[in-house]
Amino acid sequence: MAITLVNPKGLPEIDAYRQVSIATGSKLVFIAGQVAWLADGVTVGEGDLAAQVEQCYLNVGTALDAVGASFDDVAKLTVYVVDWTPDKMPLLMEGIMRAAAKLGAAPVPPASLLGVAALDVPEHLVEIEATAVID
């Protein structure tokens, strides 16, 4: 495993992610922003933020697996949510927890959450990109 996750003293401990990741591998993996598409391009969970978050994480997991990596190798996630407001946090967390249960791992690397006006198509509510490090 090329990533060590840390919550340094003096910074808040956030359940959803760790504040710092230390990468020691030799290959960087950049995963394009994943939306709530199935392999055939059909959108999952139209209008359902939790369902879309879940599918995005599952798609990131699929991309990681394709290069011999897992969420244990992710150094950083960036989450883009359409029309973000803090009251959407429970739905975001629900989607993450559902994906974690299916993936068998909690995806908790450092993360940034950004509210955006729109994504590629109107039915997409969230997009998640990842950077991983592998040996």
Side-chain angles (χ1 to χ4, degrees):
M1 185 168 19
I3 302 294
T4 302
L5 300 176
V6 179
N7 270 326
K9 290 182 191 226
L11 294 178
E13 285 194 29
I14 310 292
D15 289 338
Y17 63 90
R18 302 300 175 261
Q19 295 284 2
V20 176
S21 65
I22 303 164
T24 59
S26 58
K27 294 179 186 174
L28 293 176
V29 178
F30 299 95
I31 297 178
Q34 297 298 304
V35 293
W37 273 334
L38 297 175
D40 60 3
V42 172
T43 297
V44 171
E46 192 166 339
D48 183 343
L49 181 61
Q52 289 203 10
V53 168
E54 177 184 3
Q55 188 61 48
C56 290
Y57 272 92
L58 294 176
N59 289 350
V60 170
T62 297
L64 289 165
D65 186 59
V67 297
S70 72
F71 272 97
D72 289 338
D73 301 304
V74 174
K76 175 77 167 60
L77 291 171
T78 304
V79 180
Y80 303 92
V81 181
V82 174
D83 297 325
W84 174 257
T85 55
D87 64 308
K88 294 180 181 177
M89 185 61 81
L91 294 171
L92 181 82
M93 294 308 299
E94 178 185 336
I96 292 170
M97 293 302 107
R98 289 182 353 203
K102 289 181 179 177
L103 293 165
V108 294
S112 295
L113 187 148
L114 301 158
V116 296
L119 292 170
D120 59 330
V121 295
E123 58 267 19
H124 289 157
L125 305 175
V126 62
E127 182 171 324
I128 301 171
E129 64 183 24
T131 301
V133 180
I134 57 177
D135 292 322

